Amino acid sequence: SSGINAEWPLRPGIVTARAGKDLVSSLTSGLLTIGDRFGGALDESARQFSSNFHKGKTPLEFVNEMRNSHQYIQGIGHRVKSLNNPDMRVTALADFAKANFPATPLFDYARQVEKITTSKKPNLILNVDGCIATLFVDLLYQSGSFSTEEARDLIDIGCLNALFVAGRSIGFIGHYL
């Protein structure tokens, strides 16, 4: 998944590289911009979708609750991609998961949420972060390799953002080189 997430460069890392700084300085300047406003979507998407799914909330209840509390659903929405211009990374990940995962109940739930959100606006699609997050959670719960408690712990400690950081690191290093 790091290759799927490596396409979007952060400007500070590029500027640092162009300023003649070394590789580590360029990499860390980019990494230090990752936080709640950029890079937290994987973990928060996993938490939001998992929490509502496991509480038994319908997709409509989840969407309405988020709207009424004026909160974004992390993993939903894209500036460029839409129903009319789908993100092929999401398509590829979905096809792979459907063919290879034991089950994808959280991803299926997210797709139901997407049907509701795109009825309001066509760019409120399940984006690549939401896709990765829900499929990763499905893998944790459905693979048989983790107990329910272990899966929850991995989600709670933020292991998904490690995927984001790994992918971005590849991109930063590529810009440096």
Side-chain angles (χ1 to χ4, degrees):
S1 105
S2 60
I4 288 173
N5 248 347
E7 83 296 336
W8 197 85
L10 285 175
R11 301 290 182 232
I14 295 169
V15 169
T16 306
R18 289 183 180 160
K21 293 292 189 178
D22 62 287
L23 173 64
V24 174
S25 297
S26 299
L27 176 61
T28 57
S29 71
L31 289 175
L32 289 172
T33 65
I34 296 172
D36 291 342
R37 293 186 49 93
F38 177 75
L42 288 171
D43 281 333
E44 191 56 29
S45 180
R47 286 186 194 106
Q48 286 179 354
F49 279 104
S50 291
S51 173
N52 285 282
F53 177 77
H54 288 109
K55 288 177 185 173
K57 290 186 183 174
T58 67
L60 184 58
E61 288 170 333
F62 174 35
V63 170
N64 286 339
E65 183 178 292
M66 295 301 283
R67 181 181 5 196
N68 291 339
S69 63
H70 306 286
Q71 294 180 54
Y72 291 114
I73 299 174
Q74 296 299 309
I76 293 287
H78 199 280
R79 290 180 192 217
V80 176
K81 301 298 180 182
S82 68
L83 286 176
N84 303 319
N85 180 23
D87 189 334
M88 297 313 294
R89 299 170 300 175
V90 171
T91 303
L93 285 165
D95 290 347
F96 178 84
K98 290 296 183 180
N100 295 287
F101 284 22
T104 57
L106 189 62
F107 175 74
D108 297 340
Y109 181 82
R111 284 296 209 186
Q112 293 171 4
V113 168
E114 177 187 52
K115 285 182 183 176
I116 296 163
T117 57
T118 55
S119 72
K120 310 291 181 202
K121 214 172 166 189
N123 72 323
L124 293 178
I125 58 169
L126 182 67
N127 62 37
V128 72
D129 290 333
C131 181
I132 290 169
T134 56
L135 288 174
F136 192 87
V137 171
D138 277 336
L139 196 58
L140 289 174
Y141 281 104
Q142 304 298 319
S143 69
S145 298
F146 303 94
S147 69
T148 300
E149 185 178 329
E150 290 170 327
R152 272 193 212 122
D153 286 348
L154 285 167
I155 294 163
D156 289 344
I157 63 170
C159 72
L160 284 159
N161 277 356
L163 295 174
F164 183 89
V165 168
R168 292 308 185 258
S169 295
I170 293 166
F172 299 151
I173 292 168
H175 277 284
Y176 178 85
L177 298 174

